[in-house]
């Protein structure tokens, strides 16, 4: 068989496999996926099945390779299958996968994480970001003896009942469940505030300050595009919570170790009472954590009455992956490189919009980017996002995939650059974006 025939035969097998995979996946998993955004419904596509990843690239089961800007939704700041991380996991695995007892790697990763959030004394490991925030809220309620929780519209904190809440736009609203199966009685304890609006926060505290256990916010909201906040908002929340005896929770599941070693807490210089971490902390393995001062953490079982536990919490493989990742990030120049790549990508995207003659803008902090299909300035609050952008994104996304560029299959997700990205990857992405925007413009009737 000549090489071409061999390749075609191989591609045929891949095609068949993928067809089979989707059919099989749909049969055994709702939508064929283990988490809804992976289904590509927001961009009216079918899920891709990934065979392997290496550095900045992923290869699907059809043998097509893409430059990846999803990075497993944030954890892979070093790119896919970084040798140091893979080696650390393999080494740990040889000594056992899980013990249900404390291992030395847990202590090491705890020390490494706390060193980056020096205003916290202790942490508790969990396995997901969802658990981290859910447990942080329980701790806040247990420690303050209050019930009410404040969150922000457009911020995502995992899928625990009380946080799966949407609000109306404008001033503070009662949370209504954003999922079936969440009783309104549960979300009635959650107040929803608009981002970028200190006055709304002041007004809520003036009315209900004494009932509020905690305010939880993504200090860099990155779950409705990238809604970069002014420092004044975070500062106001710090002051209001202090004044009214409530606690401030920074959900740094995305921003922690990403925008700086100490996340947005470091960048803003504002010290929350509780920090939640996930994603990079596990280097691609399932890890979350919540961190606080000792006098707060002593409320957590076994020392105190706030119950929280986990069979696989702190398991040695996940700890090894997290530690290896943080060690790599300690190398001189790691964050400077992320900033440089992020800045370069931002410039490339802006230029692509300009050259294609399509209105668009970018928000960015370090290696996290929000791509907006609407004219500048980039929105800072959920209700200011033009929903028509999501429609355009659904048309754009499959074209980018055809060009070998894998952005998140949802307009409301951000793009991540890793230390494994190279300038050429960013140039390829910017060129693909320009070509795709142009193709869309030409396809649209005048
Ligand atoms: N908090 C934030 C800020 C997140 O972005 C996410 C997930 N994207 C979570 C919490 C929940 O984390 P997990 O998916 O690991 O449960």
């Amino acid at each position: 068989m000549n090489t071409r025939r061999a390749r075609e035969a191989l591609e045929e097998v891949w095609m068949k496999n993928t067809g089979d995979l989707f059919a099989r996946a749909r049969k055994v998993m709702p939508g064929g996926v283990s988490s809804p955004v992976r289904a590509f419904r927001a961009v009216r596509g079918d899920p891709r099945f990934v065979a392997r990843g290496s550095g900045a690239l992923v290869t699907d089961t059809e043998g097509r390779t893409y430059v990846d800007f999803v990075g497993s939704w944030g954890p892979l700041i070093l790119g896919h299958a970084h040798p140091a991380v893979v080696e650390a996991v393999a080494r740990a695995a040889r000594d056992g996968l899980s013990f249900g007892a404390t291992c030395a790697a847990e202590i090491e990763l705890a020390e490494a994480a706390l060193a980056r959030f020096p205003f916290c004394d202790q942490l508790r490991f969990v396995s997901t970001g969802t658990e981290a925030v859910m447990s942080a809220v329980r701790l806040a309620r247990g420690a303050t003896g209050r019930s009410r929780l404040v969150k922000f519209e457009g911020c995502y904190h995992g899928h625990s009942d009380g946080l799966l809440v949407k609000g109306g736009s404008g001033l503070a609203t009662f949370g209504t469940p954003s999922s079936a199966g969440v009783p309104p009685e549960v979300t009635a304890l959650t107040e929803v505030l608009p981002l970028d609006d200190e006055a709304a926060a002041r007004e809520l505290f003036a009315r209900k300050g004494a009932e509020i256990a905690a305010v939880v916010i993504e200090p860099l909201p990155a779950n409705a595009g990238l809604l970069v906040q002014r420092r004044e908002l975070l500062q106001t929340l710090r002051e209001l919570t202090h004044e009214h005896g409530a606690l401030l929770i920074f959900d740094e599941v995305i921003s922690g170790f990403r925008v700086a070693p100490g996340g947005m807490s470091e960048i803003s210089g504002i010290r929350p009472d509780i920090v939640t971490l996930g994603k990079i902390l596990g280097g691609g393995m399932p890890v979350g954590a919540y961190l606080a001062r000792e006098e707060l953490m002593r409320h957590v079982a076994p020392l105190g009455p706030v119950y929280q536990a986990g069979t696989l919490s702190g398991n040695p493989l996940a700890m090894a992956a997290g530690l290896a990742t943080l060690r790599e990030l300690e190398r001189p120049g790691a964050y400077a490189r992320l900033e440089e790549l992020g800045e370069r990508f931002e410039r490339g995207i802006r230029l692509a919009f300009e050259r294609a003659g399509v209105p668009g803008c970018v928000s960015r902090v370090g290696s996290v980017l929000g791509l907006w299909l609407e004219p500048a300035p980039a929105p800072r609050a959920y209700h200011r996002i033009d929903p028509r952008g999501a429609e355009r994104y659904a048309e754009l996304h499959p074209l980018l995939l055809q060009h070998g560029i894998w952005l998140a299959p949802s307009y409301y997700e951000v793009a991540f650059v890793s230390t494994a990205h190279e300038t050429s990857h960013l140039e390829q992405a910017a060129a693909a974006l320009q070509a795709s925007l142009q193709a869309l413009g030409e396809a649209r009737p005048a």
Side-chain angles (χ1 to χ4, degrees):
M1 226 190 313
N2 66 29
T3 326
R4 206 177 114 240
R5 283 270 312 284
R7 208 187 59 223
E8 280 168 3
L10 201 58
E11 276 169 6
E12 211 168 284
V13 174
W14 273 326
M15 291 297 277
K16 185 170 166 295
N17 280 346
T18 304
D20 279 347
L21 284 182
F22 191 27
R24 280 170 56 199
R26 264 187 304 194
K27 204 161 173 192
V28 291
M29 302 185 285
V33 292
S34 297
S35 193
V37 208
R38 299 178 197 175
F40 279 56
R41 292 203 164 193
V43 291
R44 296 192 284 273
D46 288 337
R48 299 285 152 142
F49 295 85
V50 177
R52 74 192 80 87
S54 175
L57 305 177
V58 287
T59 303
D60 70 14
T61 48
E62 294 174 30
R64 284 188 296 232
T65 294
Y66 307 85
V67 181
D68 176 34
F69 293 99
V70 179
S72 190
W73 305 94
L76 302 184
I77 194 163
L78 306 176
H80 293 270
H82 189 283
V85 180
V86 172
E87 177 51 35
V89 172
R91 211 177 318 120
R94 284 193 281 271
D95 284 335
L97 301 187
S98 177
F99 307 113
T102 303
C103 60
E106 269 171 273
I107 306 166
E108 264 188 80
L109 185 57
E111 286 168 352
L114 289 163
R116 288 154 174 83
F117 293 85
F119 54 94
C120 296
D121 304 315
Q122 295 190 333
L123 66 72
R124 167 62 57 83
F125 285 117
V126 291
S127 295
T128 61
T130 296
E131 281 176 274
V133 188
M134 179 183 81
S135 311
V137 169
R138 186 178 302 148
L139 169 58
R141 285 173 164 156
T144 59
R146 300 175 179 182
S147 301
R148 212 165 278 284
L149 175 69
V150 181
K151 81 174 282 290
F152 287 83
E153 191 187 20
C155 286
Y156 177 70
H157 303 289
H159 63 89
S160 67
D161 284 355
L163 286 160
L164 217 47
V165 170
K166 64 177 172 202
S169 58
L171 290 176
T173 49
F174 281 120
T176 53
S178 55
S179 164
V182 176
E185 291 87 344
V186 172
T187 59
L189 288 173
T190 310
E191 307 272 346
V192 184
L193 281 173
L195 286 165
D196 192 40
D197 190 343
E198 290 91 302
R202 281 202 197 90
E203 191 271 340
L204 175 65
F205 267 90
R207 279 191 294 123
K208 297 190 178 165
E211 297 168 40
I212 295 170
V215 173
V216 59
I217 187 168
E218 286 177 80
L220 178 64
N223 280 286
L226 191 69
L227 303 170
V228 179
Q229 298 301 291
R230 290 169 297 105
R231 186 180 183 279
E232 288 73 24
L233 180 83
L234 302 178
Q235 182 62 39
T236 300
L237 297 177
R238 181 63 287 180
E239 286 163 16
L240 285 170
T241 44
H242 262 152
E243 217 174 286
H244 292 266
L247 299 177
L248 180 61
I249 304 172
F250 274 5
D251 180 355
E252 299 233 42
V253 164
I254 285 184
S255 53
F257 315 112
R258 165 63 70 178
V259 294
M264 285 301 291
S265 303
E266 178 181 326
I267 288 185
S268 69
I270 294 168
R271 297 175 164 200
D273 299 292
I274 309 178
V275 176
T276 57
L277 296 172
K279 301 205 189 248
I280 293 170
L281 180 64
M285 298 285 288
V287 183
Y290 56 104
L291 297 62
R293 297 184 308 276
E294 190 273 333
E295 65 259 34
L296 264 179
M297 292 305 280
R298 82 164 75 108
H299 290 268
V300 177
L303 297 183
V306 176
Y307 191 72
Q308 186 274 307
T311 300
L312 294 173
S313 297
N315 90 78
L317 265 63
M319 299 295 109
L323 255 176
T325 301
L326 295 194
R327 295 281 175 257
E328 284 300 311
L329 288 173
E330 274 170 5
R331 285 176 187 271
Y335 285 92
R337 176 170 169 77
L338 288 165
E339 169 62 27
E340 188 194 319
L341 291 170
E343 201 266 335
R344 197 179 273 266
F345 195 26
E346 176 184 349
R347 247 186 301 137
I349 297 171
R350 280 189 205 287
L351 215 59
F353 281 129
E354 237 171 78
R355 289 183 176 156
V358 172
C361 59
V362 193
S363 48
R364 180 181 72 87
V365 175
S367 55
V368 195
L369 294 97
L371 188 147
W372 299 102
L373 298 174
E374 58 176 279
R380 293 183 188 276
Y382 183 76
H383 61 273
R384 301 217 188 90
I385 300 171
D386 184 343
R388 289 173 300 182
E391 276 303 306
R392 286 183 217 122
Y393 190 76
E395 294 171 9
L396 182 68
H397 191 266
L399 300 182
L400 288 169
L401 278 178
Q402 278 170 22
H403 281 96
I405 301 301
W406 188 316
L407 287 181
S410 161
Y411 186 51
Y412 294 95
E413 304 287 347
V414 292
F416 294 106
V417 174
S418 74
T419 54
H421 281 88
E422 286 164 22
T423 309
S424 60
H425 297 132
L426 307 179
E427 283 164 1
Q428 188 188 334
L433 180 62
Q434 184 186 333
S436 305
L437 288 167
Q438 272 162 348
L440 277 184
E442 281 154 22
R444 201 167 284 140

